Structures are given as structure tokens and as C-alpha cells.
Amino acid sequence: MAAHPRRTSVAVNVGGIKVGGNNPIVVQSMTNTDTADVPGTVNQVMALAQAGSELVRVTVNTDEAARAVPKIAETLYKFGVRVPIVGDFHYNGHLLLQKYPDCARALAKYRINPGNVNIGKKHDDNFRTMIEAAIQYDRPVRIGVNWGSLDGRLLTKMMDENNLLPEPLGANEVTMNAIVVSALESALAAERYGLSRDKIILSAKVSGVQNLIAVYRSLASKCCHALHLGLTEAGLGSKGIVATTAALSVLLQEGIGDTIRASLTPLPNGDRTEEVFVSQQILQSLELRSFSPQVAACPGCGRTTSTFFQDMADQIQNYLRQQMPVWREKHSGVEEMKVAVMGCVVNGPGESKHANIGISLPGTFEEPVAPVYVDGKLAKTLRGDAIVEEFIGMLNAYVARTYAVTEPELVSTPH
């Protein structure tokens, strides 16, 4: 079943990356380094960008972090990394953007949390100051509402009004409504201060799957702003991955969402790039975008008591991921390639024939041969201890002859 048509939204240019409109859904991520640590932050931004993150957000919460941002941007440029850097501001963004103009210029977008500035009170000077900075430096903003830091004044007002109704709504429903109202009212305030609609992205994050779906359905129906999707505090490991996938897939299938992030909690010293791969896999599984060749592999059963096919599938998946930064630059369309690594004769040959290139390994008690199929036809039968190396060689040859070589773009050096 095809996804619903994309919801119509106003496109926003974020450092050369177009978010919204008819543009591809953008994958973004966020560093968890101390931004004042320039080498550490540069290394993590580079890793996230190489993994495929098209926007990378960094925390800007102190004078030291603000002073580091231009150095980070300059160092990334010297290394040839062009990923736009987004500044994540809370509480003191109005001060930092005024005090450090080089930081304001180095960032491609500012993230503002309306619950952590004084919007809605007797005056909203802090919010207005940040919007004026965005106008001055010609930068877009993401107005990001989080239910963990929701505007208490607005929520109290809506709760009081709800209590006067003949049939009051539940507290959770009022809270979800308040999140939507906060985002919409903040966007209107930004426009009132002079920020054009094509400079505004909205998000409304909660940590529950059903709540997130309800909030974004409501928000999408009430505005034409580009929307950033993501569970806030998605969680650790499989819980975070599954919850993120469940929530985002429903919304994306309904045509809602212009940029996404999987806000996974990494294990200590864990790989931050995992959240990028999860976001990419969600989009690729829904056939909304393609990022890397996909490997089909059987789950194993009593016919596959050897773990060889599992080891090989893992090796091939890792090899494809490692090659993609190179292939992406040289071979147009390689991200659409389908690869199969199967474990026995039951579905092995058939699945391999459906792939662009596939191998059917012998199962328990089967003849120790591994037929390789290329574009549906038997190309070669592999035997012996070098099956993985030989298959990778055939894979490389297939990529080289099938996907057009693209000439690298010339990048001009700034004067």
C-alpha cells in the first residue's frame, strides 16, 4: 500500500538543505558532546554526517559553547564537511545570540523552545530577541515544543477553561491540545515580529507513541509549516528503536513530516550514529527514500544449524555501510540495490533471484555449494573457504558495471 500524498508545507532552506514542500524528508541528529570541546564535537559531527545525517544540532548553552561554534564550523569546512549546524538554545539563547554574532552567523538554524523563554508572559522580549536575530542573520528557526518543558501559564489557562466545560476533557488530552496551541501561537508571534513563514519549522514532541501521533495529526491539520518529527526521550536500545519506528511510521505513512530524528539514548560510549541509521531505515522501509543497499537475510531455523550465513549477512551489511560514503559519490542509484544472503534451499534461490545480486548458502546436510544469482539468473556457484571474499568481489563488479559513475562536483573555496 502506497503512503498517502505528502501534506503540503512551506519549504524552508536550512544551510542549503531544503526542508518541507516537495523536498525529500530530511534526516537529522544531535551531538552529545560538550560543544566547548571543539575536537570532540567536530569528530562527532563528522561521524554523524558520514553516516548520513543531513542536519546536525549542537547544544549552545554557555559562553564557552557559543565561542566554540565558529571554530567547529571552520574546522568542519577545512575537512570538507558541509553539513549545516543547528544551534539548540534554552533559557539564555537571547543573550548568547546577541553577545556572540560569529556564533549566530556560523549556525544554519536556531532551535527555540517556547516553554523556556518568556513568551506569553507580560512581555516576551527574550523570544522576540531570538526572532530578531534570526531575521538579522537570515536564519530559519525551529520552534520546538516539548511536553516536559511546556509553557506552564498556557497549560494552567487551558486547564482552568476545560474545568468550566459541561463535559471536561481528561488532563492528558488538555495537555496535548496545549502543546499544539503553544506551537501555533509561537509561530504566529514569530511572524508578527517579522520572520517569514518560509523561515519557520515546528515540532511538538512527547515521549508516548499514541500521544505523538495525536499531537502531530492535530498540528498538521492546523498549519502549513514544515514539521520536524521525533519522540522526545525515545529510550534505550530496542525500546527506543521500536517506539520511534512505531510513531514515525504512522505519521509518515499519512504524509505528515518533513524532517525526522530518532532520539535514542546511547549506551555509555555507544555509537551515536545509530540514531541516523534508524531514521534512514524507517524512511527506506516505507519506500520514501533510499540511503543504502538493503540486505535480505532469512532468520534461520533447524535447516540452518550453521551460523555461517548469519556471519556472512552481517559482514555484507557492514561492508555495504562502509562503502556507501564512497559509492554515494561515484555511483548514482546504488542506494536502490537489493542484496540477498540466504541460509538454505527452501527460500534461498527464490529470494536471491528477486534481489539484484543474491547468494543461497547451503543449509544443514545440503550440498556444500552456494549459487549466486545476478538480476534473476544463475551467475556462478561458489565453493570453499573464500565464499565471502568472492561474493564481495562479484558485488563490487556488479556495482561498477550497473550504476553510472558520476563526476564529483567542484567545491569553490570561500574568499
Side-chain angles (χ1 to χ4, degrees), residues 280-303:
Q280 290 177 332
Q281 193 58 54
I282 290 171
L283 294 175
Q284 190 145 356
S285 296
L286 292 171
E287 300 181 7
L288 296 173
R289 285 189 69 181
S290 293
F291 297 93
S292 178
Q294 298 290 281
V295 177
C298 65
C301 66
R303 291 176 174 270

Short mmCIF file of all heavy atoms in Angstrom, two decimals, residues 280-303:
data_model
loop_
_atom_site.label_atom_id
_atom_site.label_comp_id
_atom_site.label_asym_id
_atom_site.label_seq_id
_atom_site.Cartn_x
_atom_site.Cartn_y
_atom_site.Cartn_z
N GLN A 280 17.14 6.54 8.81
CA GLN A 280 17.24 6.16 7.40
C GLN A 280 16.45 4.90 7.10
O GLN A 280 15.75 4.81 6.08
CB GLN A 280 18.71 5.96 7.03
CG GLN A 280 19.53 7.23 6.99
CD GLN A 280 20.98 6.94 6.68
OE1 GLN A 280 21.51 5.86 6.98
NE2 GLN A 280 21.66 7.90 6.08
N GLN A 281 16.54 3.92 8.02
CA GLN A 281 15.87 2.65 7.78
C GLN A 281 14.35 2.80 7.82
O GLN A 281 13.63 2.13 7.08
CB GLN A 281 16.32 1.60 8.79
CG GLN A 281 15.92 0.18 8.41
CD GLN A 281 16.47 -0.25 7.06
OE1 GLN A 281 17.65 -0.17 6.82
NE2 GLN A 281 15.58 -0.68 6.17
N ILE A 282 13.86 3.68 8.68
CA ILE A 282 12.41 3.95 8.70
C ILE A 282 11.96 4.47 7.34
O ILE A 282 10.99 3.98 6.75
CB ILE A 282 12.06 4.97 9.81
CG1 ILE A 282 12.25 4.34 11.20
CG2 ILE A 282 10.62 5.47 9.66
CD1 ILE A 282 12.15 5.34 12.34
N LEU A 283 12.67 5.46 6.82
CA LEU A 283 12.30 6.04 5.52
C LEU A 283 12.46 5.04 4.39
O LEU A 283 11.62 4.97 3.48
CB LEU A 283 13.13 7.29 5.25
CG LEU A 283 12.91 8.48 6.19
CD1 LEU A 283 13.88 9.61 5.87
CD2 LEU A 283 11.47 8.99 6.09
N GLN A 284 13.52 4.24 4.45
CA GLN A 284 13.75 3.29 3.37
C GLN A 284 12.74 2.14 3.43
O GLN A 284 12.25 1.69 2.39
CB GLN A 284 15.18 2.76 3.42
CG GLN A 284 15.56 1.94 2.19
CD GLN A 284 17.01 2.12 1.80
OE1 GLN A 284 17.74 2.90 2.38
NE2 GLN A 284 17.46 1.36 0.80
N SER A 285 12.40 1.70 4.62
CA SER A 285 11.41 0.62 4.75
C SER A 285 10.04 1.06 4.25
O SER A 285 9.27 0.26 3.71
CB SER A 285 11.30 0.18 6.21
OG SER A 285 12.52 -0.38 6.67
N LEU A 286 9.72 2.35 4.43
CA LEU A 286 8.45 2.89 3.94
C LEU A 286 8.51 3.28 2.47
O LEU A 286 7.53 3.77 1.91
CB LEU A 286 8.04 4.11 4.77
CG LEU A 286 7.65 3.85 6.22
CD1 LEU A 286 7.50 5.17 6.98
CD2 LEU A 286 6.37 3.05 6.31
N GLU A 287 9.68 3.06 1.85
CA GLU A 287 9.92 3.40 0.44
C GLU A 287 9.73 4.88 0.16
O GLU A 287 9.28 5.29 -0.91
CB GLU A 287 9.03 2.54 -0.47
CG GLU A 287 9.29 1.05 -0.32
CD GLU A 287 8.44 0.19 -1.23
OE1 GLU A 287 7.72 0.73 -2.08
OE2 GLU A 287 8.49 -1.05 -1.06
N LEU A 288 10.10 5.70 1.15
CA LEU A 288 10.03 7.14 0.99
C LEU A 288 11.36 7.72 0.51
O LEU A 288 11.39 8.75 -0.16
CB LEU A 288 9.62 7.81 2.31
CG LEU A 288 8.23 7.46 2.81
CD1 LEU A 288 8.00 8.04 4.20
CD2 LEU A 288 7.16 7.97 1.85
N ARG A 289 12.46 7.09 0.90
CA ARG A 289 13.79 7.46 0.42
C ARG A 289 14.66 6.22 0.41
O ARG A 289 14.36 5.24 1.10
CB ARG A 289 14.43 8.53 1.32
CG ARG A 289 13.89 9.91 1.15
CD ARG A 289 14.74 10.94 1.91
NE ARG A 289 16.05 11.12 1.31
CZ ARG A 289 16.99 11.95 1.79
NH1 ARG A 289 16.75 12.65 2.89
NH2 ARG A 289 18.15 12.07 1.19
N SER A 290 15.75 6.29 -0.33
CA SER A 290 16.73 5.20 -0.31
C SER A 290 18.09 5.77 0.09
O SER A 290 18.49 6.82 -0.39
CB SER A 290 16.84 4.55 -1.69
OG SER A 290 15.63 3.88 -2.01
N PHE A 291 18.78 5.06 0.98
CA PHE A 291 20.06 5.52 1.50
C PHE A 291 21.19 4.52 1.28
O PHE A 291 22.33 4.90 1.10
CB PHE A 291 19.95 5.79 3.01
CG PHE A 291 18.99 6.89 3.35
CD1 PHE A 291 17.66 6.61 3.66
CD2 PHE A 291 19.40 8.21 3.35
CE1 PHE A 291 16.77 7.62 3.98
CE2 PHE A 291 18.52 9.23 3.66
CZ PHE A 291 17.20 8.94 3.97
N SER A 292 20.85 3.24 1.34
CA SER A 292 21.90 2.22 1.27
C SER A 292 21.29 0.94 0.73
O SER A 292 20.09 0.68 0.93
CB SER A 292 22.47 1.97 2.67
OG SER A 292 23.46 0.96 2.64
N PRO A 293 22.06 0.13 0.02
CA PRO A 293 21.54 -1.16 -0.43
C PRO A 293 20.98 -1.96 0.74
O PRO A 293 21.54 -1.95 1.83
CB PRO A 293 22.77 -1.85 -1.03
CG PRO A 293 23.66 -0.71 -1.44
CD PRO A 293 23.45 0.35 -0.42
N GLN A 294 19.89 -2.64 0.48
CA GLN A 294 19.22 -3.41 1.52
C GLN A 294 19.58 -4.89 1.41
O GLN A 294 19.61 -5.45 0.30
CB GLN A 294 17.70 -3.25 1.40
CG GLN A 294 17.22 -1.82 1.59
CD GLN A 294 17.36 -1.34 3.01
OE1 GLN A 294 16.57 -1.66 3.88
NE2 GLN A 294 18.42 -0.59 3.27
N VAL A 295 19.83 -5.52 2.55
CA VAL A 295 20.20 -6.93 2.59
C VAL A 295 19.02 -7.74 3.12
O VAL A 295 18.56 -7.50 4.25
CB VAL A 295 21.44 -7.17 3.47
CG1 VAL A 295 21.75 -8.66 3.56
CG2 VAL A 295 22.64 -6.41 2.91
N ALA A 296 18.53 -8.66 2.33
CA ALA A 296 17.52 -9.62 2.78
C ALA A 296 18.25 -10.84 3.31
O ALA A 296 19.16 -11.37 2.66
CB ALA A 296 16.59 -10.00 1.63
N ALA A 297 17.88 -11.28 4.50
CA ALA A 297 18.51 -12.46 5.10
C ALA A 297 17.46 -13.23 5.88
O ALA A 297 16.63 -12.64 6.56
CB ALA A 297 19.67 -12.06 6.01
N CYS A 298 17.48 -14.56 5.77
CA CYS A 298 16.48 -15.35 6.47
C CYS A 298 16.79 -15.39 7.97
O CYS A 298 17.94 -15.19 8.37
CB CYS A 298 16.40 -16.75 5.89
SG CYS A 298 17.88 -17.74 6.09
N PRO A 299 15.79 -15.64 8.81
CA PRO A 299 16.01 -15.62 10.26
C PRO A 299 16.71 -16.86 10.79
O PRO A 299 17.15 -16.87 11.94
CB PRO A 299 14.59 -15.51 10.82
CG PRO A 299 13.74 -16.17 9.79
CD PRO A 299 14.37 -15.82 8.46
N GLY A 300 16.80 -17.89 9.97
CA GLY A 300 17.39 -19.13 10.44
C GLY A 300 16.36 -20.06 11.04
O GLY A 300 15.33 -19.62 11.57
N CYS A 301 16.62 -21.36 10.95
CA CYS A 301 15.73 -22.37 11.53
C CYS A 301 16.52 -23.65 11.70
O CYS A 301 17.75 -23.65 11.60
CB CYS A 301 14.51 -22.59 10.62
SG CYS A 301 14.93 -23.32 9.01
N GLY A 302 15.83 -24.75 11.92
CA GLY A 302 16.52 -26.03 12.10
C GLY A 302 17.27 -26.49 10.88
O GLY A 302 18.12 -27.37 10.95
N ARG A 303 16.95 -25.91 9.72
CA ARG A 303 17.67 -26.26 8.50
C ARG A 303 19.02 -25.54 8.41
O ARG A 303 19.83 -25.83 7.54
CB ARG A 303 16.84 -25.88 7.25
CG ARG A 303 15.59 -26.72 7.05
CD ARG A 303 14.81 -26.19 5.85
NE ARG A 303 13.67 -27.05 5.52
CZ ARG A 303 13.74 -28.07 4.68
NH1 ARG A 303 14.87 -28.37 4.08
NH2 ARG A 303 12.67 -28.80 4.42
#
